[in-house]
Amino acid sequence: MLAEIRRDIRAAKERDPARPTTQEVIFCYPGVHAVWGHRISHWLWQRGARLAARAFAELTRILTGVEIHPGAVLGAGLFIDHATGVVIGETAEVGEDVTIFHGVTLGGTGVETGKRHPTVGDRVTIGAGAKVLGPIKLGDDSRIGANAVVVKEVPSSAVVVGVPGQIISRPGPSREDDSMLPDLVGVSLQSLLTRVARLEGQGDGRPADRVIRPPEAGVWHGEDFSI
């Protein structure tokens, strides 16, 4: 357990851009405290002390704002950044060197029994507010964008954004724009508006009653945006 604690501290120091000191991580990082609390409650859970495990997990939730079921399996090097609002269900499995931001849920869909929570591979990053639901697998080195809702399997090295989650990058040589997370609905809407504007330009020349033009320099124009 001491080796795991050292690795947890190292993970926070390496992956937090603030570059905290060891003392800051030990005393001031609730995400790290939540992982340590879970290791204790999970140890109790595995030895049949279910009530004591649940009670300790509840105490950890009150102190850190992170709810982790004592039955969940967490790999070494997990870093929960900012921590508040993270929920990890009973049958969830998290690999090594995973990064989870605040507001993330690794939950079920409410209809299954048995294995009903996600399995997260190694070196996965899950952005703030993302929801990963059901007994699905997130492949190694995958990235889940902020506020995405993921209900399907994600291959290794993929990037997922949107609601429901859509894969925008698959395994293969990295590209310069791989770090960009586009608004899929917005891009589709802009493409549709551009096509409609082009078709209207080929019509009889009479303007429509209400006009919404494609954005120019990131600014939307239209007469139907009354507040």
Side-chain angles (χ1 to χ4, degrees), residues 47-145:
R47 283 152 183 78
R50 298 294 177 92
L51 180 58
R54 291 299 300 270
F56 197 87
E58 179 65 12
L59 176 61
T60 301
R61 183 192 66 81
I62 293 172
L63 295 175
T64 66
V66 178
E67 181 175 342
I68 308 176
H69 193 285
V73 178
L74 306 184
L78 170 64
F79 176 43
I80 304 178
D81 199 3
H82 300 296
T84 304
V86 171
V87 177
I88 300 178
E90 177 183 2
T91 61
E93 301 173 54
V94 179
E96 298 186 358
D97 297 316
V98 170
T99 302
I100 295 176
F101 288 87
H102 52 285
V104 166
T105 298
L106 302 182
T109 60
V111 296
E112 306 99 342
T113 59
K115 172 63 173 172
R116 59 192 185 279
H117 298 103
T119 297
V120 180
D122 298 335
R123 299 172 302 280
V124 173
T125 299
I126 306 178
K131 315 301 177 188
V132 185
L133 307 175
I136 61 175
K137 172 71 184 295
L138 304 185
D140 296 344
D141 300 295
S142 58
R143 291 179 291 163
I144 310 301

Side-chain angles (χ1 to χ4, degrees), residues 5-26:
I5 289 174
R6 293 192 190 97
R7 186 166 177 179
D8 294 334
I9 295 172
R10 186 168 65 250
K13 293 177 65 177
E14 291 175 351
R15 276 178 255 156
D16 188 343
R19 292 292 183 261
T21 65
T22 299
Q23 290 75 18
E24 284 181 294
V25 173
I26 293 174

Side-chain angles (χ1 to χ4, degrees), residues 152-224:
K152 296 181 179 179
E153 299 279 327
V154 175
S156 298
S157 303
V159 177
V160 178
V161 298
V163 181
Q166 302 293 324
I167 297 172
I168 63 171
S169 178
R170 290 186 176 275
S174 60
R175 298 174 299 178
E176 292 183 1
D177 62 347
D178 272 350
S179 60
M180 303 297 291
L181 302 181
D183 177 1
L184 301 181
V185 175
V187 170
S188 300
L189 179 59
Q190 180 175 343
S191 175
L192 178 61
L193 287 172
T194 301
R195 179 173 175 80
V196 170
R198 186 182 302 116
L199 291 174
E200 287 182 344
Q202 298 172 356
D204 55 14
R206 291 181 300 175
D209 293 336
R210 294 178 176 179
V211 178
I212 301 177
R213 288 178 283 128
E216 300 173 2
V219 178
W220 289 83
H221 302 277
E223 288 70 46
D224 196 27

